[in-house]
Amino acid sequence: MKKIFVTLTRNPLSLTGLILVGLVVFAAIFADFITPFPDHRGAVVDFLNFNQPPSWTHLFGTDLVGRDLFTRVIYAYRISLILGIVVLVIAVPIGVSIGLLAGYLGGKTEFVLMRMTDVFLSIPPLVLAMSVMGLLEPTLANGMIAVTVMWWPWYTRLVFNITRAEKEEGYVLAAEVIGASKLHIMFREILPNCVPSILTKMTLDFGFVILIASSLSFLGLGVQPPTPDLGSMVAEGARYLPDSWWLTVFPGLAILIAVFGFNLIGDALREILGVDQ
Amino acid sequence: MSLLSVYKVSKQFTVGDSVVQALDDVSFDVQEGECLAIVGESGSGKSTIANIILGIYSATEGSVLYKDKELPDKRGKALRRAIQLVQQNPLSSLNPRRTIGASLRLALDVHGIGEKKDRNGMVETLLEEVGLPSEFRHRSPAALSGGQRQRVAIARALACQSRLVVLDEPTSALDVLVQARVLKLLEDLKQRRNLTYIFITHDLSVVRNIADRVAVFEKGQLVEIGSTTDVFEDPKNPYTRRLMAAVPIVGRDEQALRDKLSETMK
Amino acid sequence: MSEPILKIEDLKLGFKSWSGMNDVLHGISLHIRQGERVALVGESGSGKSVTARLVLGMLQELKNTHVSGRILFEGQDINTMPARTCHAMRGTKMSMIFQDPTSSLNPTYPISVQFTEVLRRKDPEITRQRAREIAIAALTDVHINNPERVYDSYAFQLSGGMNQRVMIAMALVNNPTLLLADEPGTALDVTVQAQTLNLMSNLVEKHNTAVLFISHNLGVVREFADRVYVIYKGNLVEQGPTEALFEDPRHPYTQALLSAVPRITGGGIPDIAETSESFGLPLVAHAGFSEKELLS
């Protein structure tokens, strides 16, 4: 682990990624302390100050009801990161387990599991998420469910392919000859060999999850006001371009920074861990 | 008593539309305490019969008996423990993402050998028995050389405390000096632990020096079987003669033996 | 006596890594004359394979390698040669055959395409018809019974032995002055390997090609080579004519190697020590066969 971190800091690109992500995470955790108007993340109204361009008091300006945009963007980061973590924490174990079972057991198990996965993979992700949201109330929690539902199949596919190859390796044969249980072989022998690919994908996915969640909010399906969400902010602000440009530009930049940072790290990880995806 | 009996075993594989006869009506015994070598070139069926003995494939026809009892297709832990394998490729036979210790402990854990708290100590003893420092149990396979990994593979076979060990080209991927050391180790272990070996190889020179009896396979059939001395000094089957005439040799006395064989072939 | 086709003088090679310089070759010198078959024998890690790659000029261009000494091929130093000139020689004046024939041939192209490519390196204008003629003749030379069918096949459709012959044919078709063979036949069955080596033997004799034969298999070396250099951890430790070296190995390392080879006449497995100080002893050359003597 330490060696990976050191290598990441050597490369200028991945170092940039680390810095960007570091900033995002720092901001999300310490939002209460670094934002000038913490309560503006909620339902606060200050019509005297509404629609103000960026100034020293309000670094990113204010939104249409007078809330400090900087504060809202920082808190929105918190929401996005939580979303990312929850989605991946749920989707990855499900997807990985299905992939392992299908890849190692083969036969009917493989057929059933992989065809089911194919069904999920063949529906455009956003459409799937939208359908799920259509059935549920638009809240943050349900937004997370929607994104999770569309996310696990990609991990299944990834792990399925690796498992099928690793299944033929000598160490799997050795474990079988020793008499180890199938469960042991899948989760204690093969899974560790999938970890580099899974980790790399998770890092890249973080950025994507944020984007998808933002897209959902953009369509009005995700997080609801007054909870700040980067996508919703971009959507609302778009109507007031180019006059109140700060309403769109800063949230948009925030999305860009987060996604870009995660992508840079993910790319570097891919090279370091020798993953050829 | 024969430890293992292979009785009229045949094996077919379907590859697409065609059927490949990998083994054709093969029968032989393995006596307790001996080293039986199975030699042949690619396509001879030598690896197939090993896989059937190990329970990786099941025979299309015929049966394999262990201690006079037929080996079923699906094997329980006790039977798995009785017959173990040392593979050819030292690189792929150890899980790159687990330590040597973890790979060795697996056998102990699966079969409940010893008390849990003693098992790490048992792993260290095993490592020492195959000539490796006990602290290797913390290392990952990538840090070991080919010869060292092969020793670990041997230790793994010993961990199960099995009596019959199938060795599938265990030294073919190793350099000359390393091969000699590993073969010596195998010889010593066999003596010390009273093991029975089924040694599969294409290398006749190795066979001459390590096996008690030799079985020659050609295209799925057992064409000759006998004591090593008999088969090497007076090979009866023309294929056996051809094999021996083709073996690369390094000494004058070997040259004399080869010339003698080539004479009889003409 | 004419100048040797290949003359390596005090060749050193080091690889730079984050932990410092890793020296692989510590100054080896060898030579091969036209029509001579020279073997470079060693175990893995001895440096024999990188030597072959250096002769082909393949490592000199890499960023983290440090090469010194001279590799004179037909009088020109490969270490200082521009990459383009070096590249032009591969496949034409110098060619190489590899350990695993099937994986060294491109599975997505038929033999015909790869053969034509090889022929084009010498004669860029060659027509497909002419290339086919030459290739079929070359394939017949390596005792392939139906060369037309093989010419149109893919590598995976042919057996290992067949692919090895195809490789030999491709390597010799442009009449190179030097052939490098890296463990040829190791991936093949023993009977096929014997035939292949026999074939190679006859062909190089016919074309009077110089051969640098790299192997760890002493039996094969004994059958094929005229002279042998033994390499251990980047240093040459013994050199001499094949028969003398095998009958009377002088250096402890060569002695250990030869005693470790199992004999078909029996004799058991000897006890070989893990390593020995004596393996590091300096180069022993058989009488009359040191570099100085042979090159004077």
Side-chain angles (χ1 to χ4, degrees), chain A residues 144-165:
Chain A
M144 290 199 253
I145 294 177
V147 178
T148 309
V149 163
M150 55 166 276
W151 221 265
W152 65 263
W154 302 96
Y155 286 90
T156 305
R157 184 121 285 222
L158 174 69
V159 170
F160 175 72
N161 285 331
I162 299 177
T163 306
R164 279 220 300 185

Side-chain angles (χ1 to χ4, degrees), chain B residues 5-66:
Chain B
S5 274
V6 173
Y7 184 67
K8 286 182 162 304
V9 165
S10 296
K11 177 70 182 167
Q12 288 169 351
F13 288 108
T14 10
V15 181
D17 292 328
S18 50
V19 171
V20 175
Q21 188 81 29
L23 289 171
D24 190 8
D25 201 29
V26 169
S27 301
F28 61 89
D29 290 332
V30 181
Q31 302 300 319
E32 189 158 4
E34 78 167 336
C35 175
L36 171 72
I38 298 185
V39 297
E41 297 181 298
S42 45
S44 56
K46 60 187 197 296
S47 285
T48 314
I49 189 65
N51 288 335
I52 290 178
I53 292 173
L54 287 162
I56 299 165
Y57 302 148
S58 45
T60 320
E61 283 164 41
S63 55
V64 180
L65 289 96
Y66 178 73

Side-chain angles (χ1 to χ4, degrees), chain B residues 32-33 67 116 168 257 264:
Chain B
E32 189 158 4
K67 288 192 179 165
K116 259 199 197 163
D168 192 350
L257 177 61
T264 56

Side-chain angles (χ1 to χ4, degrees), chain A residues 166 169-182 184 188-190 192-196 273, chain B residues 51 54 56 74 77 80-81 83-85 87 92-98 103 106-107 110-111 156 160:
Chain A
E166 291 297 307
E169 290 290 314
Y171 66 86
V172 171
L173 174 64
E176 289 170 348
V177 169
I178 285 179
S181 69
K182 292 199 161 82
H184 169 96
R188 301 296 303 280
E189 301 281 341
I190 297 183
N193 286 280
C194 302
V195 164
L273 296 174
Chain B
N51 288 335
L54 287 162
I56 299 165
K74 264 192 182 285
K77 277 199 199 160
R80 283 253 168 255
R81 193 175 156 178
I83 309 175
Q84 275 302 305
L85 167 68
Q87 298 171 41
S92 74
S93 67
L94 292 171
N95 192 335
R97 310 277 299 173
R98 298 187 101 208
S103 292
L106 178 63
V110 166
H111 297 289
R156 180 166 55 188
C160 289

Side-chain angles (χ1 to χ4, degrees), chain C residues 273-287:
Chain C
E274 279 298 318
T275 47
S276 178
E277 290 270 309
S278 59
F279 289 175
L281 285 174
L283 172 61
V284 174
H286 285 240

